[in-house]
């Protein structure tokens, strides 16, 4: 009653307002620079919750079209020289060249045989060699043609010449005439007109064209008129026709033509 009477209601209200003002200032001071206990309480954060599961990766989309090729880049700098490689192992010594004498008929006037070659090779003296006689086992070839226009009733002859003579003539059993039309063959003559061949010590004559049956083949002869071949060649003898012409024919006598090739191999 004493305060009410002294200050009255307005005074009491003023006192209450002053108290609130003082309390508010104190709270403001705490917010700006108050005790550390109050600041820690005001700024303290809550604990994070557990991490969620990673979601599934989506499927990759289709690959896009290939882009254009880019320009070539500049050449890179030259690299350093590499180290030298290790030396290789020493090879085995080669075979020394060895020689020996030639065998009978291998060289006409001497020579040597290289024995270390495979097969051994002969080296003949060049002063004679192929220029004098055909060495043993060597082959030479040529061609022939016989034209029997209005030929003699006694038959027709043609000749072949060896470019390099043989060392010796060939006998009757060593000469052969191969005719595909007459179907004459020999195991000593396995070639043909395009590729004539002959066994060692044999002459093979291959007929390529026989346009007239009026010239049947008879024999291969040497130049002495007997069967065989001379050292320098041979004669091809064709038979007389199988019929007789009249002494004064009313028509031209028939003609014949035969051509081909030959091969001879020295004994």
């Amino acid at each position: 009653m004493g305060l009410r009477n002294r200050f009255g209601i307005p005074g009491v209200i003023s006192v209450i307002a002053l108290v609130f003002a003082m309390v508010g200032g104190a709270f403001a001071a705490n917010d700006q620079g108050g005790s550390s206990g109050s600041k820690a309480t005001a700024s303290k954060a809550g604990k994070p919750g557990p991490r969620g599961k990673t979601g599934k990766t989506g499927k990759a989309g289709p690959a896009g079209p290939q882009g254009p090729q880019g320009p070539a880049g500049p050449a890179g700098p030259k690299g350093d020289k590499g180290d030298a490689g290790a030396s290789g192992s020493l090879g085995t010594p080669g075979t020394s060249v060895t020689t020996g004498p030639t065998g009978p008929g291998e060289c006409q006037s001497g020579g040597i045989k290289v024995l270390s070659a495979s097969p051994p090779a002969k080296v003949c003296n060049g002063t004679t060699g192929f220029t004098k006689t055909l060495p043993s086992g060597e082959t030479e070839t040529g061609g022939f043609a016989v034209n029997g226009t209005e030929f003699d009733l006694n038959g027709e002859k043609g000749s072949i010449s060896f470019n390099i003579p043989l060392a010796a003539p060939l006998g009757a059993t060593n000469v052969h005439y191969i005719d595909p039309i007459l179907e004459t063959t020999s195991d000593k003559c396995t070639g043909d007109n395009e590729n004539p061949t002959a066994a060692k010590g044999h002459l093979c004559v291959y007929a390529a064209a026989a346009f007239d049956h009026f010239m049947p083949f008879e024999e291969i002869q040497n130049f002495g008129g007997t069967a065989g071949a001379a050292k320098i060649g041979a004669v091809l003898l064709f038979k007389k026709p199988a019929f007789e012409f009249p002494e004064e024919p009313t028509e031209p006598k028939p003609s014949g033509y035969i051509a081909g090739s030959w091969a001879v191999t020295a004994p």
Side-chain angles (χ1 to χ4, degrees):
M1 290 296 293
L3 288 175
R4 180 180 299 180
N5 291 331
R6 183 176 293 182
F7 295 100
I9 292 175
V12 174
I13 293 173
S14 298
V15 172
I16 293 173
L18 178 60
V19 172
F20 274 106
M22 292 175 66
V23 173
F27 275 107
N30 287 338
D31 288 339
Q32 294 177 359
S35 64
S36 59
S38 299
K39 182 176 181 181
T41 302
S43 61
K44 185 177 181 180
K47 293 182 180 180
R51 185 182 182 89
K53 294 182 179 179
T54 303
K56 295 182 179 179
T57 303
K59 294 183 178 179
Q66 184 177 357
Q69 183 176 357
K78 185 177 180 180
D80 297 333
K81 184 177 180 181
D83 298 333
S87 300
S89 57
L90 185 64
T92 56
T95 303
S96 299
V97 176
T98 56
T99 60
T102 55
E106 290 184 325
C107 289
Q108 298 302 313
S109 295
I112 60 172
K113 182 179 291 186
V114 182
L115 301 177
S116 56
S118 181
K122 58 182 179 292
V123 181
C124 299
N125 293 342
T127 55
T128 54
F130 282 78
T131 60
K132 188 174 181 180
T133 56
L134 189 66
S136 175
E138 298 292 342
T139 302
E140 59 179 315
T141 60
F144 76 93
V146 178
N147 190 357
T149 302
E150 294 189 1
F151 55 85
D152 192 312
L153 292 180
N154 292 324
E156 190 67 37
K157 293 180 180 179
S159 64
I160 58 176
S161 298
F162 302 150
N163 297 323
I164 305 173
L166 301 177
L170 302 178
T173 58
N174 292 69
V175 294
H176 314 275
Y177 184 80
I178 310 301
D179 191 331
I181 296 178
L182 300 178
E183 297 182 352
T184 55
T185 61
S186 171
D187 61 352
K188 306 298 182 182
C189 308
T190 57
D192 55 31
N193 174 62
E194 297 296 331
N195 299 286
T197 61
K200 187 175 181 179
H202 290 262
L203 167 66
C204 297
V205 179
Y206 297 89
F211 299 108
D212 201 320
H213 68 278
F214 298 123
M215 293 177 62
F217 171 77
E218 182 173 357
E219 192 175 49
I220 298 177
Q221 297 180 345
N222 57 35
F223 295 108
T226 58
K231 293 190 292 184
I232 60 173
V235 174
L236 305 180
L237 178 63
F238 295 88
K239 298 177 183 180
K240 63 180 291 187
F243 58 89
E244 297 290 340
F245 290 111
E247 293 183 0
E248 296 181 0
T250 56
E251 297 181 0
K253 295 178 182 179
S255 62
Y257 176 78
I258 297 178
S261 63
W262 56 267
V264 62
T265 302

